[in-house]
């Protein structure tokens, strides 16, 4: 994890990000997609990069068994307060879980939400920051090559093109069963 990403998460902005304001739209949308695509409870879910447990919380309430992994100790500390949640520090690149150790694995965030590269333009328009030259240029640069240096957040992110994702999964030895709409 780069220092800039760690410094960003050390600000403790993640806990409330999906719990209030317009972030709730992402929360509801993600929950809706997951409820339609996950195996029915009871099942074991590994939430990799699960942050402070925002999704783990409702997954537990739905009857899933949830393990959360995140490299930011502050996130894990907060997640560990969710009753019934097993939270530990870890990295998506070195999963401390054997093959078959979970029925479903979530990776919502470490690949920067698997957002497609037009997300930055849409996001800046939505936030009203599209009118700021630096924000607009960064968003358009991201749409062109996927690399986004976020002036607002202060870290670099990579936005995948939707058409790249299946090939990247195949390269990592994973099979894409289907892409939810
Ligand atoms: C934008 S947050 C998303 C949190 C939560 N999954 C959600 O959907 O709200 C991205 C999360 O990915 C975590 N992360 C970053 N790099 C990671 C890595 N290499 N392995 C696992 N998690 C990582 C961060 O610590 C952070 O909690």
């Amino acid at each position: 994890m780069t220092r800039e990403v760690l410094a960003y998460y050390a600000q403790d902005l993640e806990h409330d990000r999906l719990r209030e304001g317009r972030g709730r739209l992402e929360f509801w949308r993600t929950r809706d997609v997951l409820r339609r695509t996950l195996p029915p409870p009871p099942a074991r879910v590994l939430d990799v990069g699960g942050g402070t447990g925002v999704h783990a919380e409702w997954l537990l309430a739905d009857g899933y068994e949830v393990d959360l992994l995140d490299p930011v100790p502050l996130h894990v500390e907060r997640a560990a307060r969710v009753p019934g949640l097993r939270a530990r520090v870890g990295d998506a690149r070195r999963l401390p879980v054997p093959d078959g150790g979970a029925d479903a694995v979530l990776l919502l965030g470490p690949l920067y939400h698997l957002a497609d590269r037009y997300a930055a333009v849409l996001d800046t328009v939505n936030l009203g920051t599209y009118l700021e030259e630096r924000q607009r240029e960064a968003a358009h640069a991201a749409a062109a090559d996927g690399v986004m240096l976020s002036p607002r957040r202060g870290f670099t992110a990579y936005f995948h093109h939707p058409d790249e994702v299946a090939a990247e999964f195949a390269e990592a030895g994973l099979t894409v069963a289907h892409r939810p709409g």
Side-chain angles (χ1 to χ4, degrees):
M1 206 181 193
T2 63
R3 257 182 303 178
E4 58 182 11
V5 173
L6 265 179
Y8 172 73
Y9 287 123
Q11 297 172 81
D12 200 16
L13 302 171
E14 198 52 27
H15 187 66
D16 294 328
R17 190 176 64 83
L18 299 191
R19 290 180 167 93
E20 55 188 38
R22 72 183 87 210
R24 285 175 299 170
L25 278 178
E26 178 184 322
F27 173 77
W28 290 325
R29 169 70 174 147
T30 306
R31 188 176 60 179
D32 171 55
V33 170
L34 290 178
R35 278 187 170 151
R36 285 187 281 126
T37 50
L38 283 175
R44 297 162 303 169
V45 177
L46 178 63
D47 191 358
V48 180
T52 63
V54 64
H55 291 298
E57 220 169 332
W58 66 261
L59 285 163
L60 284 160
D62 278 9
Y64 289 98
E65 197 182 308
V66 188
D67 277 284
L68 181 146
L69 206 70
D70 201 281
V72 175
L74 176 62
H75 291 175
V76 173
E77 208 177 287
R78 282 190 175 278
R81 291 183 207 155
V82 176
L85 179 58
R86 287 187 299 258
R88 57 186 152 158
V89 172
D91 191 315
R93 293 161 295 187
R94 283 180 296 278
L95 292 179
V97 178
D99 284 355
D103 301 304
V105 179
L106 305 181
L107 197 62
L108 306 166
L111 297 182
Y112 214 64
H113 298 184
L114 273 179
D116 76 56
R117 61 185 49 176
Y118 311 110
V121 172
L122 297 174
D123 195 37
T124 49
V125 169
N126 186 27
L127 292 172
T129 54
Y130 188 81
L131 299 176
E132 295 167 27
E133 195 179 345
R134 280 178 70 214
Q135 295 284 351
R136 185 169 57 250
E137 282 177 1
H140 280 285
D145 63 9
V147 178
M148 165 107 181
L149 172 61
S150 169
R152 186 161 45 91
R153 297 200 174 95
F155 64 77
T156 308
Y158 182 74
F159 293 129
H160 298 252
H161 189 284
D163 295 341
E164 291 173 349
V165 176
E168 289 178 8
F169 271 55
E171 203 181 314
L174 299 166
T175 309
V176 178
H178 80 121
R179 264 171 40 189

